[in-house]
Amino acid sequence: MRIIARKTLREFWQKHPDAEEALRAWYHDVKLARWKTPNDIRRIYANASFVTNHRVVFNIRGNTYRVIVALNYDYGIVYIRFVGTHREYDKLDAGTV
């Protein structure tokens, strides 16, 4: 998959160094993936949540952090829409971010 924008991850782990290893691992997994359907994601990330507007929420580092992405399956693109703490995530609507 093509991931846009890695910079978002890097900026987040600079503020939260304990997230770096988990975010790098997630990035690596997604980059190598060839997702065509939500079931393809579930095979690797059973706890991923699928919300409206082609958004997927990933739990990172034991659910301490969340990553929300918008997916374009046809073009193989993952757009990072949000990276944050669980508390920050609770304050937003994952389907519109």
Side-chain angles (χ1 to χ4, degrees), residues 1-93:
M1 302 297 288
R2 183 172 168 217
I3 304 169
I4 302 181
R6 184 170 187 233
K7 179 181 176 183
T8 306
L9 298 177
R10 191 172 41 251
E11 288 173 351
F12 185 80
W13 75 52
Q14 287 173 345
K15 294 178 187 173
H16 302 273
D18 62 320
E20 181 175 1
E21 184 177 339
L23 288 171
R24 283 184 183 271
W26 176 86
Y27 180 87
H28 181 264
D29 289 347
V30 174
K31 189 172 182 176
L32 295 178
R34 296 292 174 253
W35 296 330
K36 297 294 182 190
T37 69
N39 286 333
D40 295 338
I41 296 170
R42 285 233 187 256
R43 285 188 196 106
I44 299 171
Y45 292 99
N47 293 327
S49 299
F50 298 85
V51 295
T52 60
N53 295 326
H54 304 283
R55 302 294 198 268
V56 182
V57 180
F58 294 93
N59 299 317
I60 304 295
R61 201 172 172 268
N63 206 20
T64 302
Y65 303 109
R66 298 275 176 100
V67 174
I68 301 173
V69 302
L71 278 160
N72 184 317
Y73 293 104
D74 293 336
Y75 292 98
I77 299 175
V78 175
Y79 300 92
I80 298 172
R81 305 298 297 155
F82 169 84
V83 181
T85 65
H86 197 293
R87 180 174 287 165
E88 292 167 336
Y89 169 82
D90 286 341
K91 295 178 183 177
L92 54 85
D93 178 3

